[in-house]
Amino acid sequence: QVQLVESGGGSVQAGGSLRLSCAASGVTSSVNYMGWFRQAPGKGREGVVVIYMFNGITWTADSVKGRFTISRDYAKNTVFLQMNGLKPEDTAMYYCALSPPPVRRPLVPDEYNYWGQGTQVTVSS
C-alpha cells in the first residue's frame, strides 16, 4: 500500500522560507509523478509544483514561479519543496501527491491516485 508522509510545515512571517519533505513508501516503481498541492480555507485544491521522478522535469504554478522549487531523491522516493519569499496568500494545507504515469495534466489534482495527510503552512503579514 502506497503511503506518503509529509513533514516541514509551520508558521513563518512574510518573506520567510520553509522546506517541506514527502517520502513515499510501498511504491512498486520509482517512475512516478510526485508533487505538491495546496488548499486554502474555502477554496479548491490547486497544483503548486510537480516533478516527474524519472527525468526531473517539473511543472510549476504561475503563482509560485521564482519562489518555490521542487527537488527529488530518486532512490528514496522523496521530494522536497523549498519555499522562499512566502506570502500570506501562500497560507494553506499542503498535500503531497503521487501517481504513476501517464499523467496528462500534472498540476490537476484529479490526476493523482495517492495523497499524504497534509501539512499546514501559515504565513503572517
Side-chain angles (χ1 to χ4, degrees):
Q1 183 176 354
V2 175
Q3 288 189 318
L4 303 176
V5 178
E6 302 128 329
S7 60
S11 297
V12 65
Q13 289 191 326
S17 299
L18 284 172
R19 188 173 189 245
L20 307 182
S21 300
C22 173
S25 61
V27 294
T28 56
S29 168
S30 294
V31 181
N32 295 300
Y33 289 77
M34 289 186 69
W36 295 93
F37 296 74
R38 66 186 182 186
Q39 187 166 15
K43 295 188 176 181
R45 193 169 296 189
E46 62 174 358
V48 177
V49 59
V50 169
I51 190 166
Y52 185 36
M53 297 294 279
F54 176 68
N55 58 16
I57 292 177
T58 62
W59 294 262
T60 305
D62 288 343
S63 59
V64 303
K65 277 182 180 176
R67 301 187 297 121
F68 291 12
T69 304
I70 192 169
S71 59
R72 78 197 195 284
D73 184 328
Y74 182 78
K76 295 183 178 180
N77 292 306
T78 299
V79 293
F80 307 94
L81 179 61
Q82 179 66 43
M83 303 185 291
N84 298 327
L86 282 160
K87 304 175 181 180
E89 51 264 44
D90 295 318
T91 295
M93 186 71 79
Y94 283 69
Y95 296 91
C96 179
L98 178 150
S99 178
V103 171
R104 296 181 181 84
R105 301 165 297 173
L107 291 174
V108 175
D110 286 349
E111 295 275 353
Y112 291 81
N113 308 89
Y114 304 102
W115 293 87
Q117 78 285 357
T119 186
Q120 179 67 37
V121 171
T122 302
V123 184
S124 57
S125 58

